[in-house]
Amino acid sequence: MISVLLPAGAQAQMPAEIDQVLAEVENGTLAGSRENGVLVFRGVPYAAAPTGELRWRAPQPVAEWPGVRAASAHEPPCVQPVDTDSTVANFGGVNGAQSEDCLYLTIYAPEGVRDAPVMVWFHGGAFFLGAGHLGSYDGTANARQGVITVGVNYRLGALANFVHPVLEAGREGEPQGNYALHDSVAALQWVRDNIAAFGGNPENVTIAGQSAGGGIVTNLLSLPAAEGLFDKAIVQSGSLLLPDRAPVEASRIAREALETIGIGLDASADDLRNISAQTFAASKELRAGFFFTSDPKWKPSSTVAALRAGKEFDVPILVGANQGEGGFAAARTFAELAGDEGAPAFLYRFEHVPAFREAEWTKGPIHSAELMFAFDSIDQSSWGGAKADTDDRAVALQVNSCWVAFAKLVPGSRTIECADGFTWQPYLKGETARFTTSGPEMADGREYPDGPSKD
Protein backbone atom coordinates (compact mmCIF):
# COMPACT_ATOMS: atom_id res chain seq x y z
CA MET A 1 0.00 0.00 0.00
CA ILE A 2 1.37 3.39 -1.00
CA SER A 3 1.17 6.12 1.61
CA VAL A 4 0.85 9.70 0.37
CA LEU A 5 2.14 12.46 2.62
CA LEU A 6 0.33 15.77 2.28
CA PRO A 7 2.20 19.01 2.95
CA ALA A 8 1.34 20.95 6.08
CA GLY A 9 -1.96 22.78 5.68
CA ALA A 10 -3.00 20.76 2.62
CA GLN A 11 -5.88 19.11 4.46
CA ALA A 12 -7.44 22.53 5.04
CA GLN A 13 -7.23 23.18 1.30
CA MET A 14 -9.16 20.04 0.36
CA PRO A 15 -12.79 20.66 -0.71
CA ALA A 16 -15.53 19.85 1.72
CA GLU A 17 -17.16 16.45 1.49
CA ILE A 18 -20.08 16.39 -0.95
CA ASP A 19 -23.53 15.72 0.48
CA GLN A 20 -24.37 13.37 -2.33
CA VAL A 21 -27.79 12.88 -3.92
CA LEU A 22 -28.64 10.50 -6.77
CA ALA A 23 -30.98 10.85 -9.75
CA GLU A 24 -31.88 8.19 -12.31
CA VAL A 25 -32.08 9.52 -15.88
CA GLU A 26 -32.46 7.67 -19.16
CA ASN A 27 -28.72 7.14 -19.64
CA GLY A 28 -27.78 6.12 -16.09
CA THR A 29 -27.36 7.37 -12.54
CA LEU A 30 -26.15 10.89 -11.69
CA ALA A 31 -24.56 11.89 -8.39
CA GLY A 32 -25.21 15.54 -7.58
CA SER A 33 -25.09 17.37 -4.27
CA ARG A 34 -27.24 19.07 -1.65
CA GLU A 35 -26.16 22.70 -1.34
CA ASN A 36 -27.80 25.55 0.54
CA GLY A 37 -31.03 23.61 0.83
CA VAL A 38 -31.36 22.67 -2.87
CA LEU A 39 -30.15 19.88 -5.13
CA VAL A 40 -27.48 20.77 -7.70
CA PHE A 41 -26.34 18.63 -10.63
CA ARG A 42 -23.46 19.95 -12.74
CA GLY A 43 -21.92 18.70 -15.96
CA VAL A 44 -24.99 16.70 -17.02
CA PRO A 45 -24.61 15.60 -20.67
CA TYR A 46 -27.64 16.12 -22.89
CA ALA A 47 -25.99 15.18 -26.20
CA ALA A 48 -22.87 13.43 -27.43
CA ALA A 49 -19.71 15.47 -27.86
CA PRO A 50 -20.01 17.35 -31.20
CA THR A 51 -16.45 16.50 -32.20
CA GLY A 52 -14.80 14.73 -35.14
CA GLU A 53 -17.45 13.56 -37.59
CA LEU A 54 -20.12 15.12 -35.35
CA ARG A 55 -18.74 18.65 -35.76
CA TRP A 56 -21.35 20.68 -37.68
CA ARG A 57 -24.04 18.05 -37.32
CA ALA A 58 -27.23 17.97 -35.30
CA PRO A 59 -26.57 16.72 -31.74
CA GLN A 60 -26.59 12.96 -31.27
CA PRO A 61 -27.84 10.97 -28.25
CA VAL A 62 -25.70 10.40 -25.18
CA ALA A 63 -24.47 6.84 -24.73
CA GLU A 64 -25.44 5.06 -21.53
CA TRP A 65 -22.74 5.14 -18.88
CA PRO A 66 -21.86 2.40 -16.39
CA GLY A 67 -22.22 2.84 -12.66
CA VAL A 68 -22.75 6.25 -11.09
CA ARG A 69 -21.63 9.34 -13.00
CA ALA A 70 -20.40 12.27 -10.89
CA ALA A 71 -22.38 15.47 -11.49
CA SER A 72 -20.74 17.64 -8.84
CA ALA A 73 -18.41 19.75 -11.02
CA HIS A 74 -18.88 21.82 -14.17
CA GLU A 75 -17.49 20.58 -17.45
CA PRO A 76 -15.53 23.15 -19.53
CA PRO A 77 -17.68 25.64 -21.45
CA CYS A 78 -17.84 25.72 -25.24
CA VAL A 79 -14.81 26.99 -27.17
CA GLN A 80 -14.55 30.78 -27.26
CA PRO A 81 -11.86 33.48 -27.17
CA VAL A 82 -10.49 33.97 -23.66
CA ASP A 83 -7.79 36.12 -22.10
CA THR A 84 -4.30 34.63 -21.94
CA ASP A 85 -4.42 35.46 -18.24
CA SER A 86 -6.67 32.67 -16.99
CA THR A 87 -7.75 34.77 -14.01
CA VAL A 88 -9.39 37.37 -16.28
CA ALA A 89 -12.87 36.64 -17.62
CA ASN A 90 -13.90 37.54 -21.16
CA PHE A 91 -16.97 39.67 -21.87
CA GLY A 92 -19.11 36.54 -21.59
CA GLY A 93 -17.85 35.89 -18.04
CA VAL A 94 -15.64 32.91 -18.99
CA ASN A 95 -11.98 32.30 -18.26
CA GLY A 96 -9.70 29.30 -18.31
CA ALA A 97 -10.21 26.04 -20.15
CA GLN A 98 -12.90 25.38 -22.75
CA SER A 99 -13.72 22.36 -24.88
CA GLU A 100 -15.53 21.41 -28.06
CA ASP A 101 -17.08 18.68 -25.88
CA CYS A 102 -19.41 21.08 -24.10
CA LEU A 103 -23.05 20.07 -24.42
CA TYR A 104 -23.86 19.95 -20.72
CA LEU A 105 -26.54 21.18 -18.33
CA THR A 106 -26.58 22.56 -14.78
CA ILE A 107 -29.68 21.75 -12.73
CA TYR A 108 -30.95 23.41 -9.53
CA ALA A 109 -33.94 21.66 -8.00
CA PRO A 110 -35.94 21.68 -4.76
CA GLU A 111 -35.78 18.44 -2.84
CA GLY A 112 -38.82 16.22 -2.46
CA VAL A 113 -41.06 17.91 -5.05
CA ARG A 114 -43.21 16.55 -7.84
CA ASP A 115 -44.47 18.34 -10.94
CA ALA A 116 -42.45 21.49 -10.21
CA PRO A 117 -42.35 24.16 -12.93
CA VAL A 118 -39.12 24.24 -14.93
CA MET A 119 -37.11 27.18 -16.30
CA VAL A 120 -34.61 26.30 -19.04
CA TRP A 121 -31.98 29.05 -19.26
CA PHE A 122 -29.99 30.02 -22.37
CA HIS A 123 -27.02 32.26 -21.53
CA GLY A 124 -25.95 35.41 -23.35
CA GLY A 125 -22.64 36.26 -24.99
CA ALA A 126 -23.22 37.47 -28.56
CA PHE A 127 -23.48 33.84 -29.76
CA PHE A 128 -19.73 33.27 -29.32
CA LEU A 129 -19.12 33.82 -25.59
CA GLY A 130 -20.51 32.67 -22.26
CA ALA A 131 -21.64 29.55 -20.41
CA GLY A 132 -24.77 28.33 -18.69
CA HIS A 133 -23.21 27.77 -15.26
CA LEU A 134 -22.03 31.30 -14.42
CA GLY A 135 -22.76 32.78 -11.01
CA SER A 136 -25.38 35.27 -12.19
CA TYR A 137 -27.47 32.31 -13.40
CA ASP A 138 -27.40 30.50 -10.06
CA GLY A 139 -30.82 28.89 -9.67
CA THR A 140 -30.80 28.53 -5.88
CA ALA A 141 -33.37 31.27 -5.24
CA ASN A 142 -35.68 29.81 -7.88
CA ALA A 143 -35.38 26.32 -6.39
CA ARG A 144 -36.16 27.56 -2.89
CA GLN A 145 -39.44 28.85 -4.30
CA GLY A 146 -40.28 25.60 -6.06
CA VAL A 147 -38.96 26.27 -9.60
CA ILE A 148 -36.31 24.03 -11.18
CA THR A 149 -33.66 25.87 -13.22
CA VAL A 150 -31.74 24.17 -16.03
CA GLY A 151 -28.77 26.11 -17.43
CA VAL A 152 -27.74 25.12 -20.96
CA ASN A 153 -24.42 25.20 -22.78
CA TYR A 154 -24.87 25.40 -26.56
CA ARG A 155 -22.29 25.55 -29.35
CA LEU A 156 -20.78 28.95 -30.03
CA GLY A 157 -19.30 30.94 -32.89
CA ALA A 158 -18.36 29.22 -36.12
CA LEU A 159 -18.86 25.82 -34.51
CA ALA A 160 -22.50 26.79 -33.97
CA ASN A 161 -23.48 28.83 -37.02
CA PHE A 162 -21.59 27.69 -40.10
CA VAL A 163 -22.60 26.67 -43.62
CA HIS A 164 -20.19 25.35 -46.26
CA PRO A 165 -20.94 23.45 -49.49
CA VAL A 166 -18.50 20.59 -48.82
CA LEU A 167 -20.37 19.70 -45.62
CA GLU A 168 -23.45 18.82 -47.66
CA ALA A 169 -21.83 15.89 -49.47
CA GLY A 170 -23.47 12.63 -48.47
CA ARG A 171 -25.96 14.42 -46.24
CA GLU A 172 -28.78 15.18 -48.62
CA GLY A 173 -31.79 16.37 -46.70
CA GLU A 174 -29.88 16.86 -43.43
CA PRO A 175 -30.22 20.38 -41.99
CA GLN A 176 -27.21 22.65 -42.40
CA GLY A 177 -26.19 25.38 -39.95
CA ASN A 178 -28.14 26.60 -36.90
CA TYR A 179 -26.33 24.13 -34.64
CA ALA A 180 -26.88 26.28 -31.54
CA LEU A 181 -30.61 25.98 -32.18
CA HIS A 182 -30.27 22.23 -32.75
CA ASP A 183 -28.52 22.04 -29.37
CA SER A 184 -31.30 24.06 -27.75
CA VAL A 185 -33.94 21.68 -29.09
CA ALA A 186 -31.89 18.69 -27.89
CA ALA A 187 -31.68 20.23 -24.42
CA LEU A 188 -35.45 20.74 -24.34
CA GLN A 189 -35.98 17.15 -25.48
CA TRP A 190 -33.70 16.00 -22.66
CA VAL A 191 -35.76 18.03 -20.20
CA ARG A 192 -38.97 16.52 -21.57
CA ASP A 193 -37.62 13.00 -21.13
CA ASN A 194 -35.69 13.36 -17.85
CA ILE A 195 -36.82 16.30 -15.72
CA ALA A 196 -39.33 14.19 -13.77
CA ALA A 197 -36.30 12.46 -12.17
CA PHE A 198 -35.58 15.81 -10.47
CA GLY A 199 -39.21 16.48 -9.51
CA GLY A 200 -39.99 18.59 -12.58
CA ASN A 201 -43.09 18.80 -14.73
CA PRO A 202 -42.28 18.41 -18.46
CA GLU A 203 -45.68 19.94 -19.19
CA ASN A 204 -44.75 23.23 -17.48
CA VAL A 205 -41.50 24.43 -19.05
CA THR A 206 -40.48 28.08 -19.45
CA ILE A 207 -37.67 28.81 -21.89
CA ALA A 208 -35.68 31.88 -20.87
CA GLY A 209 -32.60 33.72 -22.05
CA GLN A 210 -30.77 37.02 -22.07
CA SER A 211 -29.01 38.78 -24.97
CA ALA A 212 -27.91 35.98 -27.34
CA GLY A 213 -29.86 33.57 -25.14
CA GLY A 214 -32.90 35.76 -25.67
CA GLY A 215 -32.19 35.41 -29.38
CA ILE A 216 -32.24 31.63 -28.96
CA VAL A 217 -35.63 31.88 -27.22
CA THR A 218 -36.92 34.24 -29.92
CA ASN A 219 -36.03 31.72 -32.61
CA LEU A 220 -37.49 28.77 -30.71
CA LEU A 221 -40.87 30.51 -30.76
CA SER A 222 -41.31 29.67 -34.44
CA LEU A 223 -39.09 26.60 -34.90
CA PRO A 224 -41.13 23.51 -35.86
CA ALA A 225 -38.73 21.15 -34.07
CA ALA A 226 -39.36 23.00 -30.78
CA GLU A 227 -43.16 22.89 -30.93
CA GLY A 228 -44.66 21.39 -27.80
CA LEU A 229 -41.38 21.43 -25.86
CA PHE A 230 -42.16 24.58 -23.83
CA ASP A 231 -45.15 26.43 -22.43
CA LYS A 232 -43.89 29.99 -21.70
CA ALA A 233 -41.00 32.19 -22.81
CA ILE A 234 -38.80 34.93 -21.32
CA VAL A 235 -36.69 37.22 -23.55
CA GLN A 236 -34.35 39.55 -21.65
CA SER A 237 -32.60 42.15 -23.83
CA GLY A 238 -32.65 39.73 -26.73
CA SER A 239 -35.58 40.63 -28.99
CA LEU A 240 -33.78 39.72 -32.20
CA LEU A 241 -36.63 40.35 -34.60
CA LEU A 242 -34.44 39.89 -37.66
CA PRO A 243 -34.78 37.92 -40.90
CA ASP A 244 -32.70 34.78 -41.30
CA ARG A 245 -29.63 34.81 -43.52
CA ALA A 246 -29.84 32.95 -46.83
CA PRO A 247 -27.61 29.83 -46.82
CA VAL A 248 -25.88 30.94 -50.03
CA GLU A 249 -24.88 34.21 -48.39
CA ALA A 250 -23.79 32.51 -45.15
CA SER A 251 -21.67 30.07 -47.15
CA ARG A 252 -20.02 32.87 -49.13
CA ILE A 253 -19.11 34.77 -45.97
CA ALA A 254 -17.76 31.59 -44.34
CA ARG A 255 -15.55 30.71 -47.32
CA GLU A 256 -14.15 34.25 -47.46
CA ALA A 257 -13.46 34.16 -43.71
CA LEU A 258 -11.68 30.80 -44.03
CA GLU A 259 -9.31 32.30 -46.59
CA THR A 260 -8.00 34.65 -43.88
CA ILE A 261 -6.56 31.61 -42.06
CA GLY A 262 -5.19 30.04 -45.22
CA ILE A 263 -8.05 27.67 -46.03
CA GLY A 264 -8.84 27.87 -49.74
CA LEU A 265 -11.98 27.21 -51.76
CA ASP A 266 -10.77 23.68 -52.53
CA ALA A 267 -10.92 22.63 -48.84
CA SER A 268 -12.57 19.29 -48.12
CA ALA A 269 -14.90 18.43 -45.27
CA ASP A 270 -12.01 16.61 -43.59
CA ASP A 271 -9.84 19.71 -43.97
CA LEU A 272 -12.46 21.78 -42.17
CA ARG A 273 -12.82 19.26 -39.36
CA ASN A 274 -9.06 19.17 -38.91
CA ILE A 275 -9.00 22.89 -38.09
CA SER A 276 -8.60 23.14 -34.33
CA ALA A 277 -11.52 24.58 -32.41
CA GLN A 278 -9.18 27.16 -30.87
CA THR A 279 -8.24 28.36 -34.36
CA PHE A 280 -11.86 29.28 -34.99
CA ALA A 281 -12.05 31.07 -31.65
CA ALA A 282 -8.83 32.98 -32.29
CA SER A 283 -9.86 34.21 -35.76
CA LYS A 284 -11.51 37.63 -35.72
CA GLU A 285 -13.28 36.82 -39.00
CA LEU A 286 -14.57 33.38 -37.89
CA ARG A 287 -15.06 33.53 -34.12
CA ALA A 288 -18.60 34.93 -34.08
CA GLY A 289 -20.11 32.55 -36.64
CA PHE A 290 -22.59 33.56 -39.33
CA PHE A 291 -25.96 33.98 -37.62
CA PHE A 292 -29.08 31.87 -38.18
CA THR A 293 -29.74 30.64 -41.70
CA SER A 294 -33.00 29.75 -43.33
CA ASP A 295 -33.76 26.12 -44.12
CA PRO A 296 -36.92 25.19 -46.08
CA LYS A 297 -37.61 22.13 -43.93
CA TRP A 298 -35.99 22.72 -40.54
CA LYS A 299 -36.19 26.52 -40.20
CA PRO A 300 -38.75 27.66 -42.75
CA SER A 301 -39.49 31.04 -41.15
CA SER A 302 -37.87 33.70 -39.03
CA THR A 303 -39.74 34.51 -35.83
CA VAL A 304 -40.37 38.11 -36.89
CA ALA A 305 -42.14 36.80 -40.01
CA ALA A 306 -44.10 34.32 -37.91
CA LEU A 307 -45.11 37.04 -35.45
CA ARG A 308 -46.31 39.34 -38.21
CA ALA A 309 -48.30 36.47 -39.72
CA GLY A 310 -49.69 35.39 -36.33
CA LYS A 311 -48.05 31.97 -36.70
CA GLU A 312 -45.68 31.93 -33.71
CA PHE A 313 -46.34 29.44 -30.92
CA ASP A 314 -49.10 30.96 -28.82
CA VAL A 315 -47.54 30.92 -25.34
CA PRO A 316 -47.26 33.63 -22.66
CA ILE A 317 -44.23 35.88 -23.25
CA LEU A 318 -42.25 38.02 -20.78
CA VAL A 319 -39.99 40.46 -22.65
CA GLY A 320 -38.10 43.67 -21.96
CA ALA A 321 -34.84 45.61 -21.75
CA ASN A 322 -32.82 47.83 -19.43
CA GLN A 323 -33.03 51.62 -19.30
CA GLY A 324 -29.35 52.12 -20.08
CA GLU A 325 -29.19 50.01 -23.25
CA GLY A 326 -30.87 49.92 -26.62
CA GLY A 327 -33.54 47.38 -27.42
CA PHE A 328 -36.65 48.58 -25.64
CA ALA A 329 -38.37 49.47 -28.93
CA ALA A 330 -37.80 45.94 -30.22
CA ALA A 331 -39.09 44.48 -26.95
CA ARG A 332 -42.18 46.67 -27.19
CA THR A 333 -42.77 45.52 -30.78
CA PHE A 334 -42.35 41.94 -29.59
CA ALA A 335 -44.98 42.45 -26.91
CA GLU A 336 -47.36 44.11 -29.37
CA LEU A 337 -47.06 41.29 -31.91
CA ALA A 338 -47.06 38.40 -29.44
CA GLY A 339 -49.85 39.77 -27.26
CA ASP A 340 -52.25 40.91 -29.97
CA GLU A 341 -54.39 37.80 -29.53
CA GLY A 342 -54.35 34.56 -27.58
CA ALA A 343 -51.79 34.18 -24.79
CA PRO A 344 -50.66 37.37 -22.99
CA ALA A 345 -47.36 39.22 -23.37
CA PHE A 346 -45.76 41.08 -20.45
CA LEU A 347 -43.39 43.99 -21.09
CA TYR A 348 -40.82 45.40 -18.64
CA ARG A 349 -38.16 48.07 -18.35
CA PHE A 350 -35.48 47.56 -15.69
CA GLU A 351 -34.38 50.91 -14.21
CA HIS A 352 -32.63 50.21 -10.90
CA VAL A 353 -29.01 51.39 -10.64
CA PRO A 354 -27.09 50.01 -7.64
CA ALA A 355 -25.47 52.70 -5.50
CA PHE A 356 -22.01 51.26 -6.16
CA ARG A 357 -22.60 51.73 -9.93
CA GLU A 358 -24.05 55.25 -9.92
CA ALA A 359 -20.80 56.88 -11.06
CA GLU A 360 -20.59 54.53 -14.08
CA TRP A 361 -24.20 53.95 -15.09
CA THR A 362 -25.27 57.57 -15.37
CA LYS A 363 -27.96 56.80 -17.97
CA GLY A 364 -29.48 53.75 -16.34
CA PRO A 365 -28.59 50.07 -15.90
CA ILE A 366 -26.56 48.71 -18.79
CA HIS A 367 -26.79 45.47 -20.76
CA SER A 368 -26.87 42.42 -18.43
CA ALA A 369 -27.42 44.54 -15.31
CA GLU A 370 -30.75 42.86 -14.55
CA LEU A 371 -29.38 39.31 -14.37
CA MET A 372 -28.43 39.17 -10.69
CA PHE A 373 -31.82 40.67 -9.87
CA ALA A 374 -33.88 38.33 -12.05
CA PHE A 375 -32.14 35.33 -10.44
CA ASP A 376 -31.71 36.97 -7.00
CA SER A 377 -28.10 35.84 -7.34
CA ILE A 378 -26.32 38.92 -5.98
CA ASP A 379 -23.95 36.90 -3.81
CA GLN A 380 -23.04 34.50 -6.64
CA SER A 381 -22.66 37.14 -9.36
CA SER A 382 -19.31 38.78 -10.08
CA TRP A 383 -21.28 42.06 -10.35
CA GLY A 384 -22.67 41.97 -6.82
CA GLY A 385 -21.57 40.41 -3.55
CA ALA A 386 -20.57 42.60 -0.63
CA LYS A 387 -20.93 45.76 -2.73
CA ALA A 388 -24.71 45.37 -2.82
CA ASP A 389 -26.85 47.26 -0.32
CA THR A 390 -30.32 46.75 1.16
CA ASP A 391 -31.98 48.48 -1.83
CA ASP A 392 -30.27 46.07 -4.23
CA ARG A 393 -31.38 43.07 -2.25
CA ALA A 394 -34.95 44.32 -2.01
CA VAL A 395 -35.09 44.88 -5.78
CA ALA A 396 -33.66 41.40 -6.36
CA LEU A 397 -36.34 39.80 -4.18
CA GLN A 398 -39.05 41.71 -6.03
CA VAL A 399 -37.83 41.08 -9.59
CA ASN A 400 -37.11 37.43 -8.90
CA SER A 401 -40.59 37.02 -7.43
CA CYS A 402 -42.07 38.13 -10.75
CA TRP A 403 -39.90 35.76 -12.79
CA VAL A 404 -40.79 32.88 -10.47
CA ALA A 405 -44.50 33.79 -10.60
CA PHE A 406 -44.33 33.79 -14.40
CA ALA A 407 -42.77 30.30 -14.39
CA LYS A 408 -45.62 29.18 -12.13
CA LEU A 409 -48.40 30.69 -14.29
CA VAL A 410 -51.24 28.27 -14.87
CA PRO A 411 -52.91 28.09 -18.29
CA GLY A 412 -55.36 30.92 -18.84
CA SER A 413 -53.71 33.37 -16.43
CA ARG A 414 -53.81 36.99 -17.58
CA THR A 415 -51.69 38.63 -14.85
CA ILE A 416 -48.45 37.90 -13.00
CA GLU A 417 -48.93 38.09 -9.23
CA CYS A 418 -45.54 39.13 -7.81
CA ALA A 419 -44.43 39.63 -4.21
CA ASP A 420 -45.77 42.44 -2.04
CA GLY A 421 -49.05 42.61 -3.92
CA PHE A 422 -47.64 43.85 -7.24
CA THR A 423 -49.84 42.74 -10.15
CA TRP A 424 -48.19 42.80 -13.56
CA GLN A 425 -50.77 43.52 -16.25
CA PRO A 426 -50.37 42.19 -19.81
CA TYR A 427 -49.38 44.47 -22.67
CA LEU A 428 -52.45 45.77 -24.47
CA LYS A 429 -52.10 49.55 -24.72
CA GLY A 430 -48.61 50.26 -23.46
CA GLU A 431 -48.79 48.45 -20.11
CA THR A 432 -45.18 48.18 -18.90
CA ALA A 433 -43.72 47.04 -15.59
CA ARG A 434 -41.03 49.48 -14.42
CA PHE A 435 -38.57 47.97 -11.94
CA THR A 436 -37.15 50.93 -10.04
CA THR A 437 -35.21 51.38 -6.81
CA SER A 438 -38.39 52.39 -4.98
CA GLY A 439 -40.29 49.36 -6.23
CA PRO A 440 -42.20 48.14 -9.28
CA GLU A 441 -45.04 50.02 -10.89
CA MET A 442 -47.19 49.76 -13.99
CA ALA A 443 -46.74 52.56 -16.55
CA ASP A 444 -47.50 53.38 -20.18
CA GLY A 445 -44.34 52.46 -22.08
CA ARG A 446 -45.48 53.48 -25.56
CA GLU A 447 -43.44 56.70 -25.48
CA TYR A 448 -40.33 55.36 -23.73
CA PRO A 449 -37.14 55.85 -25.78
CA ASP A 450 -35.33 52.87 -27.26
CA GLY A 451 -32.37 53.42 -24.96
CA PRO A 452 -30.36 56.09 -23.16
CA SER A 453 -30.05 59.61 -24.49
CA LYS A 454 -27.05 60.37 -26.72
CA ASP A 455 -25.93 63.52 -24.86
Side-chain angles (χ1 to χ4, degrees), residues 49-215:
T51 58
E53 284 297 314
L54 296 185
R55 179 187 278 185
W56 299 311
R57 298 195 71 174
Q60 300 300 304
V62 176
E64 293 185 2
W65 55 81
V68 178
R69 179 183 178 119
S72 55
H74 298 298
E75 297 288 348
C78 295
V79 177
Q80 56 195 282
V82 294
D83 198 287
T84 53
D85 181 349
S86 63
T87 66
V88 177
N90 64 21
F91 286 111
V94 169
N95 58 325
Q98 328 100 56
S99 174
E100 197 171 354
D101 175 8
C102 62
L103 301 185
Y104 296 93
L105 307 172
T106 305
I107 302 167
Y108 297 84
E111 187 166 12
V113 297
R114 292 183 60 185
D115 292 331
V118 182
M119 182 183 294
V120 179
W121 176 257
F122 299 98
H123 67 82
F127 298 107
F128 73 104
L129 302 169
H133 66 257
L134 302 180
S136 291
Y137 316 144
D138 187 289
T140 298
N142 289 352
R144 286 175 175 168
Q145 296 170 84
V147 174
I148 295 173
T149 301
V150 181
V152 180
N153 281 357
Y154 53 88
R155 278 174 278 184
L156 300 171
L159 299 176
N161 293 303
F162 187 83
V163 177
H164 195 287
V166 299
L167 298 177
E168 299 177 16
R171 297 187 185 177
E172 290 74 12
E174 184 175 326
Q176 297 290 313
N178 302 310
Y179 302 108
L181 285 179
H182 281 279
D183 296 344
S184 303
V185 171
L188 289 171
Q189 291 170 334
W190 189 95
V191 167
R192 177 196 62 197
D193 297 338
N194 292 281
I195 204 63
F198 305 88
N201 182 359
E203 301 297 324
N204 188 4
V205 173
T206 299
I207 54 173
Q210 182 264 349
S211 193

Side-chain angles (χ1 to χ4, degrees), residues 273-330:
R273 290 198 183 84
N274 285 329
I275 300 170
S276 74
Q278 286 294 348
T279 298
F280 283 106
S283 165
K284 187 179 298 184
E285 289 75 15
L286 289 162
R287 64 176 54 161
F290 306 100
F291 203 62
F292 301 117
T293 55
S294 60
D295 184 300
K297 293 183 179 178
W298 199 80
K299 196 177 191 305
S301 173
S302 67
T303 291
V304 65
L307 284 164
R308 295 193 186 284
K311 294 182 178 180
E312 81 280 7
F313 302 142
D314 187 26
V315 299
I317 306 290
L318 188 159
V319 61
N322 299 341
Q323 182 182 18
E325 64 175 348
F328 184 76

Side-chain angles (χ1 to χ4, degrees), residues 429-452:
K429 296 181 179 180
E431 290 86 348
T432 304
R434 295 178 60 226
F435 290 100
T436 72
T437 305
S438 58
E441 64 176 33
M442 293 303 303
D444 185 344
R446 286 177 290 185
E447 301 302 322
Y448 286 169
D450 184 50

Side-chain angles (χ1 to χ4, degrees), residues 204-448:
N204 188 4
V205 173
T206 299
I207 54 173
Q210 182 264 349
S211 193
I216 293 283
V217 172
T218 298
N219 277 270
L220 290 173
L221 283 164
S222 64
L223 191 67
E227 187 171 11
L229 294 176
F230 60 89
D231 307 275
K232 296 179 281 288
I234 297 174
V235 178
Q236 297 173 213
S237 304
S239 302
L240 298 185
L241 301 181
L242 301 171
D244 294 330
R245 177 168 279 150
V248 171
E249 177 67 5
S251 177
R252 180 189 66 78
I253 297 172
R255 284 177 287 154
E256 290 178 356
L258 285 168
E259 289 184 324
T260 67
I261 61 167
I263 305 298
L265 299 178
D266 59 345
S268 68
D270 285 342
D271 290 334
L272 298 182
R273 290 198 183 84
N274 285 329
I275 300 170
S276 74
Q278 286 294 348
T279 298
F280 283 106
S283 165
K284 187 179 298 184
E285 289 75 15
L286 289 162
R287 64 176 54 161
F290 306 100
F291 203 62
F292 301 117
T293 55
S294 60
D295 184 300
K297 293 183 179 178
W298 199 80
K299 196 177 191 305
S301 173
S302 67
T303 291
V304 65
L307 284 164
R308 295 193 186 284
K311 294 182 178 180
E312 81 280 7
F313 302 142
D314 187 26
V315 299
I317 306 290
L318 188 159
V319 61
N322 299 341
Q323 182 182 18
E325 64 175 348
F328 184 76
R332 183 170 53 215
T333 298
F334 207 139
E336 290 172 351
L337 293 172
D340 58 352
E341 58 183 35
F346 301 91
L347 180 64
Y348 75 87
R349 189 168 80 153
F350 183 78
E351 301 180 14
H352 170 68
V353 175
F356 68 87
R357 293 286 192 179
E358 286 179 345
E360 304 166 69
W361 298 353
T362 58
K363 297 183 179 181
I366 64 171
H367 192 61
S368 304
E370 88 289 355
L371 287 168
M372 67 177 179
F373 298 93
F375 278 89
D376 189 12
S377 57
I378 286 174
D379 292 321
Q380 292 79 26
S381 172
S382 61
W383 286 35
K387 295 174 288 188
D389 61 18
T390 55
D391 283 342
D392 299 326
R393 295 182 184 279
V395 172
L397 287 171
Q398 184 69 60
V399 176
N400 178 246
S401 80
C402 292
W403 266 237
V404 166
F406 181 77
K408 291 181 176 181
L409 277 186
V410 298
S413 298
R414 301 296 301 180
T415 60
I416 303 173
E417 301 301 327
C418 308
D420 299 329
F422 176 62
T423 297
W424 190 343
Q425 301 290 340
Y427 188 95
L428 295 172
K429 296 181 179 180
E431 290 86 348
T432 304
R434 295 178 60 226
F435 290 100
T436 72
T437 305
S438 58
E441 64 176 33
M442 293 303 303
D444 185 344
R446 286 177 290 185
E447 301 302 322
Y448 286 169

